[in-house]
Amino acid sequence: MKSLFLLKITFIAVMASLTIRQHAIAQQGYRINGAVVDTASKSKLVNATIYVLNAKDSTMRKYVYTTAGGFFSIKDLPQGEFILLATYPDHAQFAEKFSLGAEQQVHDFGAINMPLSARLLQEVIIRGGVTAIKLKGDTTEFNARAYVIQPNDKVEDLLKQLPGLQVDKDGKITANGERVTKVLLDGEEFFGDDPTLVTKNIRADMVDKIQLYDKKSDQATFTGVDDGSKTKTINVKLKPDQNKGAFGKVEAGVGTHDIYFGQALYNRFTASQKYAAYFTAANNGRVNLGMGDNIRLGAGGNNVQVGDIVIPNISRDGDDNFNGNYNGRGLPVAQSGGAHYDTKLNEGRQTINTNYKTSYLAVNGINTTLAEQNLPAGVLNSNSRQNFDNSAFRQKLDFAFTTILDSVSNLKVTAEGFLKNTKTNSNLQAVTTGSSFLNRNMQHQVNNSDVSVLNASLFYTRKLKKEGRTFSWNVSEVFNQTQSDGFHNSTIDYFNPSGATDSTRHIDQRKLITQRILALSSNMTFSESFSKTFSIVANYGLGINNSLADRQSFNQSAPGAYTILDSAFSNKYQFNQLTNQLGALFNYHKDKLILIFGTRASRVNFEQRDRFNGGLYKRDFINWLPQANLQYRLSQQSNFSVGYNGGTVQPTIDQLQPVRVNTDPLNIIVGNPDLQPSFSNSFNGKFRTYQSLSGLYINLSANYAFSPGAIVVKRNTDAGGKTTIQFANLQGAMPQNAALNTVLGFKIKPIDLSVEIELNASAGQSYSYSNNVLNRLQSRSFSGTAWVQKNVAKRYNWSVVAGPSYNVREFSLQRTGNNAAGFFFQANGTVYLPAKFLVSSDLSYNYTAPTTAFNALEITNWNASISRTFLPADQLKISLTANDLLNQNANYSRNITASTITQNYFDAIRQYFTVSVSWDLNQVGDNTSKK
């Protein structure tokens, strides 16, 4: 009994002590305590560092070191939500969210287990419900298991749930207000440079992690010296147990107006190999699964940049501007296919990655163009209508091989080949009016061209004995050949002021064109670290380019026989260029500050030989490319930078000594051998902050550019509407422009709503000469966008984006102005109904106000679908879709230059209805859906 009495006294004393202690704590403020323990040895971790992160504003404070027993105790904390972070050398960091308030004034963490894990140093792990995020230095990693994944969801569906990420209807990804341009699969490219072949093809239930980061250039990654070149990148990491098996999808649909589409995808993965293949066919605008092919020096653009000089692409003659891509203009018929293979050999010491893609695209339609050209005495108005029927067949094969030669050196070999055949057929009718009817132009052009491209490179890297001292050598080859065979037939009637025909010019010629480019380049780079904070990257490059441009024009000797050479519009040029480049980039990095500055200088020896008439044209010049960039990291998720880039702008050969062409007799280009190079200057500033817990992000960017002595166009138009074009250095004025962009994103947590607001403003002035009078275009643009999104798993999701715009365009020659307001609205949503039904709809509205030159434009496009899934795993789906319910779809664009306003209107795919069936195959991991 005595023992029991003593026990009661002891219990009462302890309870009284606890009551007094809790009362004291309440008086002192809120408090936390706990102990840090090594997971393996169970020993207490002495002097572990304890941080407390404020979840509201992401501010972090270092509070205490643990005592001899591994214990910590922190008092006088305010109430609110926090994250406790514990660190200890050679141990994984620990973080846990907790709250302090009236109901919980003390939080006891108990024993905190921290395992040994050197590779997890610098990690911050945030454990929670749907916001499972891991921060690894500059990388934000999302845990796919923390998000709800529907049966047969793709990576794109998972990305839409991640905070700060947006995916539009075309598959383009924006992360915290910045465009994502590269998507990798387990760190490797999948089907080359098509991001959507990952996001639309890979199953979401196979994904382990989504990593978001700024990918440095290969050179910067190797040397460790930041060169300022970064690409916003997403890496999709697969689950270890999901990296084996087969999966894919088959879909087919038919509709009204003979609409059809179909696709088949198949993927087979093993631990070290990936196989994939796809095929598509459609006439409803589905061109391929990806976002297009990019080929260095391929068949795109009007000119070819080789080294430091621009050579006119004479194979792109007249109105033959079809590059084999579809952008919503006209009515398409498309087929595409591809195959992918990558593997790791010799325990990962060698890797092989190869892709093959092929596509066929035929597009026909009508293009209506309205143009207004400003002259000192008034304006010229042009109205044209072009019927076009174009097609392109493309094949691309690329290959990459990397190998670890030894502990300090690597070798990467890449190659890509590209073949394209393009056929174009167009008929053009155009009239030009001023104060009276000036001319009428009728053209018929047919062209058949073949493009061949072969690029290859070797990239050797070696780390030398001293830390920070490296050497790399890149050798590359480019071969590009275009051969075309076409016919140009045009008739131009010129009218006098009374409206009667004054004269007529007729052209009927066959055009045989060959353009060939062969370029070899070598670039050696050496890096040296002088201290822990200061380093340099120096490079020397040598480039050799030999190019041929051969145009032959033939007149008819008899109907259908073109054998008479027209020497006035035939030519053959040999271009030879030797480039020596020397550059140095200095890098100062201390604590949160990075300073990058340096320059490159190129000495170019250029020679142009006239193989047709004889003659030699030479140019020797030096190009300077200075740059500087200052970056300051305010915190792990906030940074600020300012930068400068300058560069010499050399006149092109087409501006100095153009090749004579007659495919556009109303616009004739003449050369100006007295042109001098100009120099461009560009300044930029950026501020970025992102708070992973709250989902708040802010991006601010501004830039300003100006070009003294800029090269501008001079247009002299005669009374018949014929324009002679020449280029000249601008005197007494300077083109300049400035822009400001602001992006604010945040999450309204009580209703789980994601919001982004973007504001843009820009202003500038550009110049041109019109009939020897200087014409200035002053432009100002203002726009705002608000985006709202909500996603409730297995119930519904929707997003709305809308905003106004206002553009001011004022010409000094004609001060009537062409100001225009605009507004756009886009909304889409999906609702999950009982019995496995799914309803989706999207609506877009675009309005452009009238100007002095053009009428208002207003287009509304509304699409809707209903679908139902079948089978236990929902792998079968049947859908009914309505496209363009209001039958208003169209494609139009406006373009304003220093002297001309142009509006293009193309016909586009209009209203149709389809029924489709899709089936998903999944034989990966524990999934068992069979054929």
Side-chain angles (χ1 to χ4, degrees), residues 107 304 326 404 506 570 590:
H107 186 95
V304 177
Y326 178 68
I404 300 174
H506 181 69
S570 297
K590 186 175 183 180

Side-chain angles (χ1 to χ4, degrees), residues 227 308 581-586 596-602 622-629 643-649 678-684:
D227 58 6
D308 291 76
Q581 185 184 93
L582 189 64
L585 199 64
F586 298 89
I596 306 168
F597 62 95
T599 187
R600 289 186 292 125
S602 299
I622 295 178
N623 283 343
W624 291 96
L625 296 168
Q627 68 177 89
N629 185 267
Y644 165 79
N645 288 277
T648 306
V649 180
S678 64
F679 197 87
S680 66
N681 300 272
S682 176
F683 297 86
N684 64 81

Side-chain angles (χ1 to χ4, degrees), residues 612-625:
F612 192 81
N613 297 310
L616 180 64
Y617 175 74
K618 291 185 175 182
R619 289 180 64 204
D620 295 328
F621 54 88
I622 295 178
N623 283 343
W624 291 96
L625 296 168

Side-chain angles (χ1 to χ4, degrees), residues 703-770:
N703 61 73
Y704 172 69
F706 62 94
S707 301
I711 299 172
V712 298
V713 65
K714 292 180 65 176
R715 298 176 181 270
N716 287 286
T717 304
D718 62 19
K722 177 182 175 181
T723 300
T724 301
I725 301 170
Q726 192 180 43
F727 294 87
N729 291 103
L730 183 62
Q731 303 295 329
M734 184 173 62
Q736 52 188 318
N737 60 78
L740 177 66
N741 172 262
T742 303
V743 179
L744 170 65
F746 55 92
K747 193 150 189 156
I748 304 176
K749 289 188 175 181
I751 56 175
D752 193 27
L753 197 67
S754 298
V755 180
E756 181 181 283
I757 299 172
E758 181 174 0
L759 300 175
N760 292 284
S762 64
Q765 56 188 23
S766 57
Y767 296 86
S768 67
Y769 290 94
S770 181

